[in-house]
Amino acid sequence: MGLYLKKGNWFIDYRVNGRRKREKVGPSKTLAETVLKKRKIEIAENKYLDIRREHKVKFEELAQMYLDLHAKPNKKSCHSDDDLIKTLGKHFAGKYLYEITPMAVEQFKADRAKEVSPATVNRALACLKCMFNKAIEWGKANDNPVKKVKLFKENNKRLRYLEKEEIVKLLANCRGYLRPIVIVALNTGMRKGEILSLKWHDIDFRHSIIYLLNTKNGEKREIPINEQVRTALIKVRKHPESPYIFCNKDGNPFGDIKKTWLTALNKSGILKFRFHDLRHTFASHLVMSGVDLNTVRELMGHKSLEMTLRYSHLSPDHKKRAVDILGRRMDTIWTP
């Protein structure tokens, strides 16, 4: 703890629960000394402002507030947050918010990295960071300890897609409601959540368009459908009391198709393949069929071409086609 002068003003410098605090007092050194003594007494008596404000809020209390007030009302992926919070709770349950320091978060990061991939650890840290941001907004915390913790570097180059023969095998082993869901994914590049939340009024069969109002990036999308998708959707039996296309007997949209999906994969002999990889399959086959990258970007709903460039290597002659086009144009201008 100490005092220092900066640009004509006195500041006090001290630590609370391992956190460094600095306060601007003013031009009076005497006043600064008085304030510093007061802070020492508050800390010694456990009456410091931060402790008084935060000591009644534990991690699990914030977790419930976060789910009820933020995740469930505003996020489609609230079930993912619920799972992440359960994981975080194994490490932080019972702790007051002021006890969750950057060092404690670093410890969680290190421990969790021994069990799962860097990307999975990062998802948990991102959730915890968002929780603390909300806690600050709601007056339940003063600092966000996660801001001082660096995320792991991730390898986002993973690109798994199905070959034609694998697509045939997979569709042959998709039973019941899973088959039309997979057909839609393969032919539109839609995400699983987007497909499972589809309602009949989202489909314009006359103009062969699916209208997506709520997407991951928050932008509306119009997705053209081919004959395979049209036929698959028409064959889906409508629930008399539900607006959802893919729903259970109670009319509620399917929340999880993991069991039937894994069964189909196992029967098809397809390994290390996620449902999201159907989206990669859609984009990969478009590129391999000669569709330009910007069109693929629009169909995928990517905000930037950079995200779509990961598929460019699948079209080995795309650069040659580009210079050939230029060559034909140059021929009309100048002949050597």
Side-chain angles (χ1 to χ4, degrees):
M1 296 187 180
L3 303 173
Y4 64 93
L5 183 65
K6 185 178 180 181
K7 294 182 179 180
N9 287 298
W10 285 95
F11 290 75
I12 60 174
D13 191 326
Y14 56 96
R15 288 186 174 274
V16 183
N17 295 317
R19 298 181 184 180
R20 189 178 184 184
K21 300 287 184 179
R22 280 175 272 189
E23 291 184 40
K24 177 182 175 182
V25 178
S28 173
K29 182 179 181 181
T30 302
L31 179 59
E33 291 173 340
T34 301
V35 173
L36 182 58
K37 289 179 181 178
K38 182 179 179 181
R39 293 290 179 266
K40 288 181 178 179
I41 294 172
E42 289 176 340
I43 294 169
E45 296 180 351
N46 206 32
K47 293 180 179 180
Y48 181 71
L49 177 61
D50 283 354
I51 297 175
R52 289 204 305 269
R53 183 180 298 172
E54 297 179 349
H55 81 283
K56 292 184 179 179
V57 181
K58 289 191 175 182
F59 172 83
E60 48 268 44
E61 295 176 59
L62 173 61
Q64 195 60 55
M65 285 189 285
Y66 176 81
L67 288 172
D68 293 341
L69 302 179
H70 176 67
K72 291 179 181 178
N74 302 304
K75 301 177 69 176
K76 284 187 174 182
S77 60
C78 63
H79 61 281
S80 298
D81 281 350
D82 196 16
D83 292 338
L84 291 171
I85 287 172
K86 288 178 182 177
T87 297
L88 291 165
K90 294 177 182 178
H91 195 92
F92 297 116
K95 291 184 179 294
Y96 294 116
L97 297 188
Y98 66 84
E99 293 179 313
I100 304 177
T101 62
M103 182 179 290
V105 177
E106 289 284 9
Q107 187 63 57
F108 164 80
K109 174 184 169 184
D111 292 344
R112 189 65 174 148
K114 298 175 184 176
E115 305 170 345
V116 296
S117 69
T120 301
V121 177
N122 286 349
R123 299 296 84 75
L125 292 175
C127 180
L128 184 62
K129 184 176 182 179
C130 188
M131 289 172 65
F132 266 94
N133 283 339
K134 288 299 172 184
I136 293 171
E137 288 181 21
W138 298 333
K140 304 298 181 181
N142 294 326
D143 298 303
N144 191 332
V146 191
K147 285 185 176 180
K148 300 176 183 178
V149 177
K150 289 185 178 180
L151 299 181
F152 285 118
K153 289 184 178 180
E154 297 180 28
N155 179 9
N156 292 320
K157 296 182 179 180
R158 181 184 188 277
L159 183 60
R160 172 77 165 94
Y161 64 90
L162 296 177
E163 301 290 350
K164 291 181 180 179
E165 297 78 10
E166 291 178 304
I167 293 175
V168 173
K169 286 182 181 179
L170 178 61
L171 289 176
N173 288 296
C174 288
R175 298 287 184 263
Y177 63 82
L178 182 63
R179 182 178 174 83
I181 290 175
V182 172
I183 289 175
V184 171
L186 283 168
N187 288 275
T188 66
M190 292 171 61
R191 299 176 177 86
K192 181 172 66 174
E194 294 171 342
I195 296 173
L196 297 182
S197 61
L198 275 178
K199 297 180 181 179
W200 287 109
H201 64 68
D202 296 326
I203 315 296
D204 183 345
F205 285 104
R206 181 179 178 183
H207 297 97
S208 298
I209 294 176
I210 294 176
Y211 294 97
L212 284 184
L213 301 181
N214 297 311
T215 63
K216 183 179 179 180
N217 61 23
E219 296 183 354
K220 298 179 181 179
R221 282 190 7 240
E222 294 183 5
I223 301 176
I225 58 177
N226 57 23
E227 197 57 36
Q228 287 189 357
V229 174
R230 171 190 286 271
T231 301
L233 291 175
I234 289 176
K235 288 183 179 180
V236 174
R237 182 177 297 179
K238 290 186 178 181
H239 191 285
E241 299 177 357
S242 177
Y244 293 100
I245 297 176
F246 303 111
C247 59
N248 57 30
K249 62 181 180 180
D250 297 323
N252 298 315
F254 292 117
D256 188 13
I257 57 171
K258 186 174 181 179
K259 185 176 180 179
T260 51
W261 168 249
L262 291 177
T263 298
L265 289 180
N266 291 332
K267 288 184 177 180
S268 305
I270 298 174
L271 305 175
K272 296 182 180 180
F273 192 80
R274 309 165 301 172
F275 189 94
H276 189 77
D277 291 327
L278 295 176
R279 182 169 161 83
H280 295 320
T281 300
F282 168 76
S284 299
H285 282 273
L286 284 176
V287 173
M288 289 187 289
S289 298
V291 178
D292 66 274
L293 290 175
N294 193 55
T295 298
V296 175
R297 179 191 68 79
E298 293 177 353
L299 291 171
M300 293 285 283
H302 289 161
K303 281 191 172 183
S304 67
L305 188 61
E306 183 181 357
M307 297 181 69
T308 318
L309 286 174
R310 66 192 305 189
Y311 304 102
S312 62
H313 70 283
L314 297 173
S315 180
D317 61 339
H318 73 283
K319 293 180 181 178
K320 184 178 184 304
R321 287 202 308 270
V323 296
D324 284 346
I325 292 172
L326 178 63
R328 289 193 295 271
R329 178 176 177 81
M330 288 300 180
D331 283 342
T332 63
I333 300 174
W334 171 71
T335 301

